[in-house]
Amino acid sequence: MDAIEAYLRQHGPSLTTEVAAHIMLVNKLSANTARQRVSRRSDAIKSLAYLPFPRNARFLYLPEDYGSPRFWRALIDRLDSTNSAYGAALGAVLARGGIVPEGHFNIVCGAPVRQKKHVSAEVILERLLEAKLLERRHIEGIGSCIIQPRGAGYLEWPAVEVRARLLSENILLSALAAWARNNGLVSYGKVQLRSLEQAPAVATTVWDLTGPCYLHSVLPRPREDEPQRPAFLVVDILQGRVDLAGIRAFVRKCEALRRLSKVTSLQMFVADNYSREARDLLKSQGIITATTRSLFGKDFQAGLDELRSFFGSIIHNSTIDIGKLDALLSRFGEIEGASLQIRGTLFEFLAARLARFEFRSDVVLMNRVYQDPSTPAAKAESDLTIEAGGRELVFVECKGTAPYGIVPDEQFEKWLQHQVPTIYAATRHRPEWANRDITFEFWATAPLSEASRTLFRAIDAALNKHRYRIKVRLGPELEDICERMGEDSVTTAFGKHFVRRGRPLEGAFA
């Protein structure tokens, strides 16, 4: 074993400058000779490409260390010591369990979308992907994600746990939006929240939550010939205990926004709790350092914990805890959109189970995005993609809501006139799906309006059934599948939260 390999085994992944300094000291070599020995290292020692370090240093590691906890600790420590934007971005991804929806990366990475004298979020992602420090991967139930690659023996989080975390974050953001509106921090109808498709922007930066603020204490003073400009409340969240690595990217983003002379902002971070170092850094920057408990109380915090646990357990258990589900819906019932989000997420999990039973298929993929190669801008997502019996291919759109409303006409029209043709066009460019019998199905727990029914009949009548078929299944037919499947907790959950009682039930289409 040579001196370089011995050093890396003892001290872990390191910079070439650190290894050369050690060899020079131990072997009493000149600095130049030590650098040459490191540069002539054996092929068994790997080096990281694409990321710049001072003095042309390279990051060295042994193959067995790649993806291990000490690999990531060492790399982020070296990047942070140089105030690197790449280190801050990596730390932010790791603080979120190593999986971030691609639509959220620009928010968490700490870099502006575009700003002079700053590396952009797009460049940071591109470099980290090139260096294989991050990967782009489809995660079932979420979509395209940026993930932390892990070596053998270091398992990734189950996707369902990440989805449960995202659901609880969405509810927290909804509560924050109501809090900001109700306390007069922002214009009532102007709060914007992140989604998987877009991120609220203020100038060159994007955030989890934004809203214009007209409090006199923070309003910028306009010039005589200028109208009054608002300040902006900007908020990011991170559930769990946050340390320095978890907030460095946020602090960099706040600093970038403060450098813009025409933008005034009230900056806020919300977490479950903080390390002392993280809290001190945020406060030294004049950032509101809030916790979920300080804003909404310990019962709300406990509810979010229970929510993550409830959905995280669905994949591991064959039964659904109906009592806990009822308690969660009751606990978050006053938060705008929370019940809808919980029901929608639950319905997609139930629908995946129903699809496996109905189509006798083990291949049920969630939230796949398809693109028409002839029209690059045309993309559409299928909630469920089912390969059944070797010949049948089914794409299902799921709309799980409380059953006492009506499926919005624009949602049904979008499915028929955009999603169906776009996904079908994508299938024609996939040789493995040639000669398949293709069906597009719309599963909804609420009924359709008469206008949507009329639209369906018109399109179905004109459709070439040799290309594909379309079908609608509403609450009664889906409930029938539940009963035939014979899982009591699924039947109870569906009947209690998705079936219309006390009124005539609209039937499904043929």
Side-chain angles (χ1 to χ4, degrees):
M1 183 186 305
D2 67 15
I4 300 174
E5 183 178 349
Y7 179 89
L8 294 177
R9 288 197 183 281
Q10 180 179 355
H11 298 279
S14 305
L15 295 178
T16 51
T17 49
E18 297 169 324
V19 179
H22 174 79
I23 292 175
M24 182 178 67
L25 180 65
V26 171
N27 296 322
K28 296 182 173 51
L29 302 174
S30 67
N32 186 54
T33 302
R35 285 195 297 270
Q36 288 181 357
R37 286 198 181 181
V38 173
S39 68
R40 295 176 188 142
R41 60 191 175 272
S42 73
D43 293 339
I45 297 170
K46 303 300 180 182
S47 66
L48 197 63
Y50 298 104
L51 286 192
F53 285 94
R55 296 187 291 168
N56 296 319
R58 303 291 293 273
F59 185 75
L60 304 182
Y61 61 94
L62 298 174
E64 58 265 35
D65 275 335
Y66 178 75
S68 68
R70 81 168 184 168
F71 173 89
W72 292 109
R73 283 196 301 269
L75 177 60
I76 293 174
D77 283 347
R78 271 55 172 196
L79 290 169
D80 283 346
S81 69
T82 64
N83 195 31
S84 168
Y86 301 99
L90 280 174
V93 173
L94 268 61
R96 289 161 175 82
I99 302 178
V100 173
E102 186 164 3
H104 294 176
F105 182 81
N106 286 1
I107 298 174
V108 308
C109 76
V113 178
R114 279 184 181 81
Q115 188 170 328
K116 287 183 178 180
K117 299 182 180 180
H118 285 78
V119 181
S120 71
E122 181 181 4
V123 170
I124 286 176
L125 178 58
E126 181 182 345
R127 291 274 180 87
L128 292 174
L129 290 172
E130 287 176 339
K132 303 189 186 308
L133 293 174
L134 294 177
E135 295 178 358
R136 181 183 282 112
R137 187 180 300 178
H138 180 91
I139 302 295
E140 295 302 328
I142 304 172
S144 179
C145 289
I146 302 302
I147 73 163
Q148 165 202 4
R150 302 188 182 184
Y154 301 96
L155 299 178
E156 297 170 8
W157 279 17
V160 68
E161 293 184 15
V162 181
R163 191 164 187 203
R165 171 174 64 82
L166 293 174
L167 173 61
S168 69
E169 288 178 357
N170 288 343
I171 291 174
L172 174 56
L173 285 169
S174 297
L176 281 168
W179 173 83
R181 287 193 297 259
N182 295 338
N183 287 283
L185 282 177
V186 294
S187 295
Y188 198 88
K190 299 293 185 179
V191 180
Q192 293 188 331
L193 304 180
R194 75 176 191 202
S195 68
L196 292 176
E197 293 76 32
Q198 62 182 7
V202 172
T204 61
T205 54
V206 289
W207 308 81
D208 286 335
L209 180 153
T210 66
C213 173
Y214 287 93
L215 295 176
H216 285 293
S217 57
V218 295
L219 280 176
R221 180 174 297 178
R223 296 176 181 174
E224 292 183 1
D225 56 343
E226 286 184 341
Q228 177 65 65
R229 290 182 286 109
F232 287 91
L233 174 68
V234 294
V235 184
D236 278 358
I237 65 171
L238 176 53
Q239 293 185 322
R241 181 174 176 79
V242 178
D243 59 13
L244 278 175
I247 54 95
R248 278 199 176 101
F250 175 79
V251 170
R252 291 178 66 93
K253 184 167 60 171
C254 290
E255 290 172 339
L257 186 61
R258 287 198 294 266
R259 289 192 180 100
L260 300 177
S261 59
K262 293 187 177 181
V263 180
T264 301
S265 61
L266 189 63
Q267 299 162 345
M268 179 176 182
F269 198 87
V270 182
D272 291 350
N273 51 69
Y274 303 87
S275 69
R276 186 170 66 179
E277 295 82 6
R279 183 181 291 275
D280 289 347
L281 176 58
L282 289 169
K283 288 188 173 182
S284 72
Q285 294 284 320
I287 294 167
I288 300 172
T289 309
T291 65
T292 310
R293 182 171 178 172
S294 69
L295 290 170
F296 305 113
K298 64 180 181 180
D299 288 343
F300 184 90
Q301 174 64 68
L304 292 180
D305 294 339
E306 290 173 10
L307 183 70
R308 291 194 295 271
S309 173
F310 173 79
F311 281 104
S313 69
I314 285 180
I315 195 169
H316 303 298
N317 300 317
S318 59
T319 60
I320 297 171
D321 189 332
I322 304 301
K324 182 172 285 188
L325 173 61
D326 292 344
L328 289 169
L329 287 168
S330 176
R331 187 190 295 264
F332 297 117
E334 294 184 0
I335 298 175
E336 182 180 352
S339 294
L340 181 63
Q341 292 181 63
I342 293 172
R343 280 192 173 93
T345 301
L346 175 63
F347 182 64
E348 285 194 26
F349 283 120
L350 292 178
R353 287 195 186 183
L354 297 182
R356 291 187 182 93
F357 171 80
E358 178 71 0
F359 297 102
R360 303 295 190 271
S361 174
D362 292 326
V363 184
V364 178
L365 307 175
M366 298 179 70
N367 300 93
R368 290 279 168 164
V369 176
Y370 298 97
Q371 181 175 353
D372 178 0
S374 62
T375 311
K379 296 181 181 180
E381 179 179 304
S382 174
D383 290 332
L384 302 178
T385 300
I386 305 142
E387 297 190 45
R391 280 192 55 84
E392 191 174 8
L393 190 61
V394 184
F395 300 93
V396 178
E397 177 72 7
C398 301
K399 295 297 178 187
T401 61
Y404 295 98
I406 299 288
V407 174
D409 290 341
E410 60 272 16
Q411 292 184 6
F412 189 71
E413 182 179 341
K414 179 182 178 182
W415 173 70
L416 274 177
Q417 299 186 337
H418 170 70
Q419 290 173 260
V420 168
T422 300
I423 296 172
Y424 177 74
T427 67
R428 299 302 84 195
H429 292 83
R430 299 183 66 156
E432 71 273 21
W433 284 350
N435 303 316
R436 293 290 188 100
D437 296 328
I438 298 177
T439 303
F440 293 90
E441 299 198 5
F442 189 91
W443 292 11
T445 55
L448 300 179
S449 71
E450 186 55 41
S452 290
R453 289 169 171 268
T454 300
L455 177 64
F456 176 87
R457 295 187 186 104
I459 290 179
D460 186 51
L463 190 63
N464 180 353
K465 303 299 193 297
H466 295 292
R467 300 172 70 209
Y468 59 85
R469 298 181 298 277
I470 55 176
K471 183 175 182 177
V472 172
R473 302 188 197 228
L474 300 180
E477 186 173 357
L478 298 175
E479 187 178 25
D480 178 65
I481 298 174
C482 288
E483 292 173 351
R484 287 190 282 109
M485 187 167 63
E487 293 185 16
D488 290 343
S489 66
V490 172
T491 303
T492 302
F494 191 87
K496 190 168 187 178
H497 295 287
F498 298 110
V499 174
R500 188 181 236 188
R501 301 298 186 192
R503 298 185 189 182
L505 292 168
E506 291 85 347
F509 287 92

